[in-house]
Amino acid sequence: MSSTGGSKRYSNVSTPSGSKRNSSVANIEEDENSEQIHSEQLSDHVLPESHLPAGLKRHDSLDIESAKIQGHHGHHNTKDWGVILRLAFQSIGVVYGDIGTSPLYVYSSTFTDGIKHPDDILGVLSLIFYTITIIPVLKYVVIVLRANDNGDGGTFALYSKLCRYAKVGLIPSEQLEDREVSNYQLELPGKQNTISTKVKKTLEQSNFAKFALLFAAMLGTSMVIGDGILTPSISVLSAVSGLKEATDAMTEGRIVIISVIILITLFMVQRFGTDRVGYSFAPIICVWFALIGGIGVYNFIKFDPSVAKAINPKYIIDYFKRNGKDGWISLGGVVLAITGTEAMFADLGHFTVKSIQISMGCVVYPALITAYSGQASWLRKHQNQVSDTFYKSAPDALYWPVFVVAVMAAIIASQAMISGTFSIIKQSLSLGCFPRVQVLHTSHKYEGQVYIPEMNYLLMIGCVLVTVSFRTTENIGHAYGIAVIFAETLTSGFMVVIMLVIWKTNILLVILFVLVISSTEYVYLSAVLYKFGEGGYLPFSFAVVLMFIMCTWNYVYRGKYNYELDHKVSREAIKGIVTDTNISRMGGLAIFYSELAHGIPPIFKHYVDNVPALHSVIVFVSVKSLPVSRVAPEERFLFRRVKPNDLYVFRCVVRYGYTDVRNEKESFEKILVENLKSFIEYDYGTEPQQGRIRDEDVAKLDQAWRSGVVHLVGENEIVSRPGSSIGKKFLIDYAYNFMKRNLKQSYNVFEIPHEKLLKVGMTYEL
């Protein structure tokens, strides 16, 4: 963070108006009614005091952003092959557990009524081969990974990328100056494209399009959370079902009980930060891929090497000709071969594009293709045993090693999906699209490792209920397939918009993407929807509940922000309040919190009307989330001083990205005061006379801090305006307020000590 020792660092960059400025200070001089802004950033050069830059004219809002910096994101741009290969190895444990355990249940889920013709095996193998090649490899590895948001992936990363390029965001605190954040700008092609311009203009002018994009992002999040329930259920249940091969006494009921015990244990250890399982147990997943790949090669050679001819897509056509509607329905089982594909993109923040591409191309893809080919070879000789293909196709001598590793791989796959669910909830929370829940950061080493107690227990209850109710992988597979393919079709939709608007891709290539990839996904989607009544309703039920929660919260979140914006306290009113002789000034530092980035929230005037006393130093802190993955700590704090200076009133905007950790190692109060001191030092410049006043102001701030700090947080009661419709009253007065009462309070975001906390109640009518 900032240094208070007086050293000054800078680098010159251009502001949007074209003028040069010091990146350590944006010292904005205004007329007598204006305020000042400071943006603090560290760079590598020491600024001699004689070379402090003069002030420059302010822009039209508070946020004059810091200059560009490099390297704060981590390793996503590294060219060190040693690092890339290490990350590729680690990614195997985090990313591929889900897709890697698919061979446990794909054939049994596809041939639910048995194998009716020997060549049907070749048709399904050909479908599996081309599905894995087209979607995980061609779509994700080659195309989608390029759409990362400064190294981060996932549905909200795509949405945030679009919000930064086009004015399609509905988050109400957007400002032009946000574009100067170091990782805000996008790498864009220099070419112009008429279609791109038209699509962008249409999106920006259409409120329906803006809501549709946000709705799609939230729907994708809902489906991922649904995955967080279904993945542990089907992975653990399918692995444990292998016990049937060891003893006839292992009934379906006992398998369910053992699976439930494993699932409950898995969720109970989440609080200890078990995301490290993915890193520590990457060797186990590697052993798993070696086992399924090796067994696949063994079966391929021993039973029927002729299944290699399934590479000919003619067998797919013949399969559908023979089976007609039944063949189309069976696609609901084939699609399970690509479960977890979305994790390659969603978990990208921990790795690099190259590391994911290497691990997929060199380990995962060959192992999966050989595993499915080996099972197909075995099935050609054992068609009547398709319901237990995986364990029966393994050599007897390897049964127990395969079983043990399968259970461990299923647990690791489940763990990775649960951690991914927590991460995407944190992203949506940061963008105002999810109710405020408690987010605990369980590791200082892995910044993305989070634990959300409320969601953990809800996921556990969901997994147990699904496992007990559906009992078999075939039944759960109907629900699982819908969640998987629906999330992937949403990603494809975002990709089409990004290719048209941001990448300015040739329209013929976009059409090719839709015809080859999107159409494949829609065919699979139509097949899994056919099983809607046999379990397919489950992810939609999850999605409906989650979408209601997310949409309600976001609707009130935007309404509350707009209310504060419409009723903000003017600068003249602030000066009148602070200089009012009827209002006493007492020692100490008062920090007012809000999410309003454009002014002083109405809660301040409400407080003064009821408590006619103010502290000697007042800081208005607004918390702002930007549509970027991370904001460098050096760019986080922005200050403005309310004139005249002897009022000792400051405004501060604290900015975060959607993956940023808000619970810093040091207390927020201490970091805020240190940055405020630094702002005061820079604000006065280096003239001796100004230096004396500067020292006095710093001393006054120190004295106020030592006298005591009080944190004032608005305890707002949100109600519907008189005359509102029944629907609006239900959303605000009942649904929203129920969630607000039962979830984390805003003051816990910065871990404010309760003995320093003062809640100020006020009613907002929306």
Side-chain angles (χ1 to χ4, degrees):
M1 304 308 296
S2 66
S3 171
T4 58
S7 64
K8 303 192 170 42
R9 303 168 181 264
Y10 84 110
S11 62
N12 288 330
V13 297
S14 296
T15 65
S17 60
S19 59
K20 295 286 183 180
R21 68 173 172 87
N22 182 343
S23 67
S24 295
V25 181
N27 187 17
I28 312 305
E29 296 180 350
E30 304 178 87
D31 57 30
E32 61 180 3
N33 294 321
S34 65
E35 300 162 356
Q36 294 182 336
I37 301 172
H38 168 72
S39 170
E40 182 180 30
Q41 173 173 318
L42 300 177
S43 109
D44 296 328
H45 306 288
V46 176
L47 173 65
E49 294 193 355
S50 59
H51 290 86
L52 279 172
L56 52 142
K57 294 298 179 182
R58 74 181 291 261
H59 293 278
D60 59 358
S61 71
L62 173 63
D63 292 48
I64 302 297
E65 308 295 348
S66 303
K68 297 194 178 286
I69 65 170
Q70 299 295 331
H72 71 274
H73 180 76
H75 47 235
H76 79 275
N77 282 325
T78 183
K79 295 182 179 179
D80 185 335
W81 279 99
V83 173
I84 291 172
L85 292 175
R86 175 174 58 82
L87 291 172
F89 172 73
Q90 291 176 341
S91 71
I92 295 173
V94 175
V95 177
Y96 300 110
D98 194 359
I99 193 173
T101 53
S102 295
L104 286 167
Y105 45 77
V106 168
Y107 279 112
S108 59
S109 298
T110 303
F111 293 111
T112 54
D113 296 326
I115 300 172
K116 300 175 182 177
H117 190 283
D119 281 354
D120 285 353
I121 300 170
L122 297 178
V124 170
L125 176 60
S126 187
L127 279 168
I128 292 172
F129 171 75
Y130 283 105
T131 301
I132 294 177
T133 303
I134 290 173
I135 296 180
V137 177
L138 180 60
K139 175 187 169 183
Y140 280 91
V141 173
V142 178
I143 301 173
V144 175
L145 289 183
R146 292 179 52 223
N148 68 85
D149 183 17
N150 293 294
D152 284 285
T155 307
F156 268 104
L158 297 177
Y159 176 71
S160 297
K161 200 178 182 80
L162 283 170
C163 287
R164 298 211 306 278
Y165 181 72
K167 297 177 182 178
V168 297
L170 291 170
I171 307 303
S173 60
E174 294 179 26
Q175 294 169 299
L176 178 64
E177 294 83 3
D178 291 338
R179 297 180 181 276
E180 286 192 24
V181 166
S182 55
N183 62 346
Y184 198 103
Q185 296 295 333
L186 303 173
E187 294 182 6
L188 303 173
K191 61 185 178 181
Q192 294 297 320
N193 187 304
T194 304
I195 296 176
S196 171
T197 304
K198 288 182 179 178
V199 173
K200 180 183 177 183
K201 186 177 180 181
T202 301
L203 291 175
E204 292 179 338
Q205 293 178 348
S206 170
N207 283 329
F208 174 80
K210 294 177 182 179
F211 279 104
L213 287 172
L214 179 60
F215 183 85
M218 290 193 290
L219 184 58
T221 300
S222 301
M223 287 297 174
V224 171
I225 296 173
D227 267 358
I229 295 174
L230 297 171
T231 296
S233 301
I234 194 170
S235 297
V236 173
L237 191 61
S238 59
V240 174
S241 64
L243 287 173
K244 289 189 295 185
E245 301 303 312
T247 171
D248 294 335
M250 190 55 60
T251 62
E252 182 182 279
R254 292 178 179 177
I255 288 174
V256 170
I257 292 172
I258 294 173
S259 300
V260 168
I261 292 172
I262 292 175
L263 287 171
I264 292 175
T265 304
L266 174 64
F267 281 100
M268 294 303 292
V269 300
Q270 291 300 310
R271 70 185 70 184
F272 302 111
T274 46
D275 189 45
R276 72 190 67 181
V277 169
Y279 291 88
S280 304
F281 288 84
I284 293 176
I285 301 297
C286 286
V287 170
W288 170 253
F289 280 121
L291 274 175
I292 63 173
I295 293 172
V297 172
Y298 171 80
N299 287 334
F300 176 81
I301 295 172
K302 179 178 180 180
F303 293 103
D304 188 2
S306 69
V307 296
K309 59 188 177 183
I311 196 171
N312 186 346
K314 170 183 176 295
Y315 288 97
I316 297 176
I317 299 172
D318 293 341
Y319 175 72
F320 286 121
K321 283 182 178 179
R322 279 192 304 271
N323 295 279
K325 181 181 177 181
D326 290 338
W328 168 68
I329 294 173
S330 71
L331 291 177
V334 177
V335 77
L336 298 180
I338 56 173
T339 58
T341 300
E342 189 75 16
M344 276 194 292
F345 187 46
D347 292 331
L348 182 60
H350 295 295
F351 309 103
T352 67
V353 172
K354 285 184 179 178
S355 64
I356 296 291
Q357 291 172 334
I358 289 172
S359 57
M360 182 64 182
C362 298
V363 177
V364 179
Y365 182 71
L368 290 175
I369 297 302
T370 53
Y372 287 117
S373 300
Q375 289 184 20
S377 295
W378 183 86
L379 282 173
R380 294 273 282 184
K381 306 297 183 182
H382 307 83
Q383 296 181 25
N384 60 337
Q385 299 183 50
V386 69
S387 60
D388 295 307
T389 301
F390 179 79
Y391 283 107
K392 287 187 179 294
S393 66
D396 293 339
L398 292 178
Y399 168 76
W400 282 110
V402 169
F403 173 76
V404 171
V405 177
V407 173
M408 296 181 71
I411 292 173
I412 294 171
S414 303
Q415 170 59 45
M417 194 65 235
I418 295 167
S419 298
T421 303
F422 291 157
S423 296
I424 198 167
I425 290 173
K426 179 181 179 295
Q427 292 180 18
S428 55
L429 172 66
S430 300
L431 295 176
C433 296
F434 202 86
R436 188 172 281 111
V437 291
Q438 185 179 20
V439 179
L440 302 177
H441 299 271
T442 55
S443 172
H444 295 301
K445 185 175 181 182
Y446 305 122
E447 64 180 33
Q449 186 180 124
V450 296
Y451 167 64
I452 302 176
E454 296 96 333
M455 291 306 302
N456 184 64
Y457 292 116
L458 289 175
L459 290 174
M460 180 180 71
I461 293 170
C463 280
V464 171
L465 289 177
V466 167
T467 304
V468 172
S469 302
F470 287 82
R471 304 181 73 83
T472 66
T473 56
E474 177 189 338
N475 294 332
I476 298 176
H478 300 325
Y480 196 28
I482 289 182
V484 169
I485 200 65
F486 210 100
E488 291 177 1
T489 55
L490 288 171
T491 298
S492 293
F494 273 111
M495 284 304 305
V496 169
V497 179
I498 285 175
M499 286 190 287
L500 286 173
V501 176
I502 300 178
W503 291 354
K504 300 179 176 64
T505 307
N506 187 296
I507 189 63
L508 295 178
L509 294 178
V510 177
I511 293 173
L512 184 63
F513 177 89
V514 172
L515 291 177
V516 175
I517 295 175
S518 296
S519 61
T520 301
E521 292 172 336
Y522 284 122
V523 169
Y524 277 116
L525 182 61
S526 67
V528 294
L529 286 175
Y530 184 81
K531 296 286 187 177
F532 186 87
E534 300 177 30
Y537 59 85
L538 199 61
F540 280 104
S541 302
F542 295 149
V544 167
V545 174
L546 290 167
M547 286 297 292
F548 175 77
I549 292 172
M550 295 173 74
C551 289
T552 300
W553 190 268
N554 184 259
Y555 171 74
V556 179
Y557 171 82
R558 288 183 286 110
K560 184 175 69 171
Y561 188 95
N562 289 325
Y563 179 92
E564 291 188 342
L565 193 61
D566 293 339
H567 296 82
K568 66 182 179 181
V569 184
S570 66
R571 285 179 293 189
E572 291 72 20
I574 291 290
K575 293 170 188 175
I577 292 171
V578 176
T579 57
D580 190 343
T581 56
N582 295 321
I583 298 176
S584 60
R585 298 296 291 266
M586 55 186 175
L589 171 63
I591 304 175
F592 285 82
Y593 292 87
S594 79
E595 293 179 332
L596 184 65
H598 297 272
I600 306 299
I603 199 78
F604 174 67
K605 189 174 185 305
H606 181 71
Y607 167 77
V608 174
D609 289 342
N610 290 275
V611 184
L614 292 174
H615 293 72
S616 55
V617 179
I618 301 172
V619 182
F620 294 96
V621 174
S622 61
V623 183
K624 180 176 180 180
S625 292
L626 298 184
V628 295
S629 56
R630 293 171 177 83
V631 175
E634 299 84 359
E635 299 178 302
R636 183 151 292 149
F637 288 87
L638 304 169
F639 291 94
R640 172 186 292 175
R641 188 164 191 165
V642 178
K643 295 272 185 125
N645 287 357
D646 56 7
L647 296 178
Y648 292 100
V649 177
F650 302 87
R651 287 177 55 201
C652 172
V653 170
V654 187
R655 301 173 305 173
Y656 292 92
Y658 55 77
T659 64
D660 273 330
V661 176
R662 292 196 178 187
N663 298 337
E664 284 90 350
K665 297 177 184 178
E666 296 182 87
S667 72
F668 175 78
E669 176 187 305
K670 180 181 178 182
I671 296 172
L672 175 68
V673 172
E674 287 180 350
N675 279 276
L676 183 53
K677 286 181 185 178
S678 180
F679 161 65
I680 294 173
E681 291 174 355
Y682 284 123
D683 189 34
Y684 279 107
T686 59
E687 295 180 10
Q689 183 178 3
Q690 296 294 320
R692 178 179 58 80
I693 302 174
R694 175 194 64 207
D695 294 340
E696 290 176 357
D697 281 3
V698 172
K700 186 175 180 67
L701 175 60
D702 265 330
Q703 182 182 357
W705 189 22
R706 288 194 302 269
S707 298
V709 180
V710 61
H711 301 260
L712 295 107
V713 178
E715 188 74 2
N716 304 317
E717 182 182 359
I718 311 297
V719 298
S720 58
R721 187 179 303 166
S724 298
S725 65
I726 296 176
K728 185 175 182 180
K729 286 182 178 180
F730 173 76
L731 288 178
I732 298 176
D733 297 342
Y734 296 98
Y736 173 80
N737 281 298
F738 174 80
M739 289 186 282
K740 185 174 182 290
R741 284 193 301 269
N742 289 279
L743 294 172
K744 188 178 176 73
Q745 300 299 312
S746 59
Y747 56 81
N748 286 330
V749 170
F750 294 112
E751 304 297 328
I752 299 172
H754 286 278
E755 63 273 13
K756 296 182 179 182
L757 175 66
L758 180 62
K759 300 179 186 178
V760 183
M762 185 175 178
T763 301
Y764 288 6
E765 291 185 351
L766 304 184

